[in-house]
Amino acid sequence: MKNILNYYQSLFSSADCPKKFLLKILLPLALAFCISLYILSGFIVAAMGTKPISVTDTASLQIGISESILRLHVIANSDSTTDQATKLEVKDYVVSYLQNSLLKDVSSKEEAITVLSQHSDELKQITTKYVRSLGYTYDVEISIGPAYFPIKVYGDITLPAGEYDALRIKLGEANGQNWWCILFPTLCYVDTTYQIVPDESKEQLKDVLTEREYEAIVSKKETKVVVKFKIWEWIKELI
């Protein structure tokens, strides 16, 4: 105890007392304080960034999203190479036709469904005619209604699994692998090489979804969080 008292007495009695006080007492305390705050802030940021979404929240989001979008579902006759190729050709043809004519000026999912329902016979006729032009004789079935879809990724957009309204095109026996996309708003592409959804299409999607729904399905690049403390910057300058 006497040695400790003598140490502090010599420390404060010396000419360079302020400097010794800063280096041997204030600096360690400040460092300990900054480190503690840094660790605490790290825990807070991690906890906020990894908060899990409950099953109820996911279901609620899926329902909200499904109320605003219309999907296209094309089912191939079989899994043969030719039937799968035909499926994609029919998809390209139908998407191009709809986006350049029937759905060119629609502004809502409900309007899109109404237009397609009114022209379903016409759509069946032109699709059947196109299939015949490719050399196939199987029938084409057109329907509009709810259907279950698994999780689907469109570039950097991921739609949760669930029931969505869709325009369904069944080719022949409809026993092959299927193809689907978002028909309204326009996220169906004739060019299947797209890896990232264009900003224009994202803006259309943002217009029909709530902010929460949009943020839930659009992937984001990881953001690096850097925590800085003014007192630590000041100490580094002194050192």
Side-chain angles (χ1 to χ4, degrees):
M1 186 69 177
K2 185 177 180 180
N3 291 335
I4 296 175
L5 292 175
N6 290 336
Y7 169 76
Y8 281 102
Q9 183 178 5
S10 64
L11 178 65
F12 288 105
S13 62
S14 61
D16 57 348
C17 174
K19 184 178 180 180
K20 287 185 176 181
F21 177 77
L22 173 64
L23 294 177
K24 294 190 176 183
I25 298 179
L26 182 59
L27 182 58
L29 289 175
L31 286 174
F33 176 74
C34 289
I35 292 172
S36 298
L37 281 182
Y38 187 84
I39 294 174
L40 179 61
S41 63
F43 280 122
I44 293 174
V45 171
M48 292 177 63
T50 58
K51 183 179 179 180
I53 299 177
S54 68
V55 174
T56 302
D57 287 341
T58 301
S60 176
L61 282 171
Q62 187 278 322
I63 292 173
I65 294 168
S66 68
E67 291 176 349
S68 302
I69 67 173
L70 177 67
R71 300 177 72 160
L72 173 63
H73 193 193
V74 183
I75 309 173
N77 178 60
S78 73
D79 282 334
S80 70
T81 301
T82 54
D83 281 341
Q84 286 296 310
T86 300
K87 173 194 70 177
L88 295 178
E89 290 187 76
V90 170
K91 175 267 298 184
D92 289 345
Y93 176 78
V94 171
V95 167
S96 179
Y97 175 79
L98 292 177
Q99 294 179 354
N100 289 299
S101 59
L102 296 183
L103 301 183
K104 183 178 180 179
D105 299 316
V106 300
S107 57
S108 69
K109 169 191 169 182
E110 290 73 20
E111 184 180 358
I113 291 177
T114 298
V115 171
L116 291 173
S117 298
Q118 293 173 346
H119 294 83
S120 60
D121 290 339
E122 173 190 341
L123 186 57
K124 179 176 180 178
Q125 289 175 3
I126 64 168
T127 305
T128 301
K129 183 177 179 180
Y130 183 73
V131 169
R132 297 287 184 271
S133 72
L134 296 175
Y136 298 94
T137 60
Y138 43 67
D139 293 331
V140 174
E141 182 182 333
I142 302 288
S143 63
I144 302 171
Y148 179 83
F149 291 85
I151 293 176
K152 178 63 179 176
V153 178
Y154 301 92
D156 51 347
I157 290 179
T158 303
L159 288 183
E163 193 172 81
Y164 295 83
D165 287 320
L167 168 64
R168 306 186 76 191
I169 301 177
K170 294 183 178 181
L171 302 177
E173 298 296 325
N175 289 326
Q177 296 182 49
N178 52 71
W179 183 94
W180 53 79
C181 72
I182 301 176
L183 191 58
F184 179 87
T186 306
L187 266 75
C188 289
Y189 306 114
V190 174
D191 181 358
T192 58
T193 62
Y194 275 100
Q195 295 298 316
I196 300 296
V197 176
D199 291 337
E200 181 181 354
S201 296
K202 287 182 181 177
E203 288 299 319
Q204 295 176 1
L205 192 60
K206 187 182 293 186
D207 288 341
V208 300
L209 300 178
T210 66
E211 182 177 354
R212 181 168 177 263
E213 291 167 352
Y214 179 80
E215 291 180 351
I217 66 174
V218 177
S219 62
K220 303 177 183 61
K221 293 182 178 179
E222 183 178 354
T223 301
K224 186 177 181 180
V225 179
V226 178
V227 181
K228 293 185 177 181
F229 297 100
K230 186 67 177 178
I231 189 172
W232 173 241
E233 298 299 321
W234 176 71
I235 292 172
K236 286 198 298 183
E237 290 177 4
L238 288 178
I239 296 174

